[in-house]
């Protein structure tokens, strides 16, 4: 793993457990989306989206994840 690259397991765990607050988006460097998750955290919608994103992170290949978020 190259220095400065993001780990997909960490991103998936953050999305699964803290996805409602958008912590995984901040980890991946997507600050604007993270702020949007924080603004709408009271609705519960970011929790559902975070769960879906956690699954998507886990099923993507290491190369595809690194290309998109690394």
């Amino acid at each position: 793993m190259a220095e400065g690259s993001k780990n997909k397991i960490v991103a998936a765990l953050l999305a699964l457990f803290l996805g409602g607050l958008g912590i995984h988006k901040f980890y991946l460097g997507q600050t604007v989306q993270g702020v949007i998750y924080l603004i709408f955290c009271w609705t519960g919608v970011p929790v559902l989206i975070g769960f879906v994103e956690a699954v998507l992170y886990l099923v993507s290949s290491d190369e595809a994840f690194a290309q998109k978020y690394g």
Side-chain angles (χ1 to χ4, degrees):
M1 182 181 305
E3 186 175 326
S5 64
K6 306 299 181 188
N7 186 331
K8 78 175 190 175
I9 302 297
V10 172
L13 289 175
L14 288 173
L16 187 62
F17 294 112
L18 298 172
L21 298 175
I23 303 302
H24 62 293
K25 293 295 187 180
F26 290 108
Y27 173 74
L28 295 173
Q30 299 173 336
T31 309
V32 174
Q33 289 179 352
V35 170
I36 293 170
Y37 275 59
L38 281 174
I39 291 171
F40 291 101
C41 68
W42 61 274
T43 65
V45 173
V47 174
L48 297 173
I49 297 171
F51 177 76
V52 171
E53 287 179 333
V55 172
L56 291 175
Y57 295 157
L58 290 174
V59 299
S60 68
S61 68
D62 291 336
E63 294 82 18
F65 184 85
Q67 184 179 17
K68 188 169 184 179
Y69 301 108

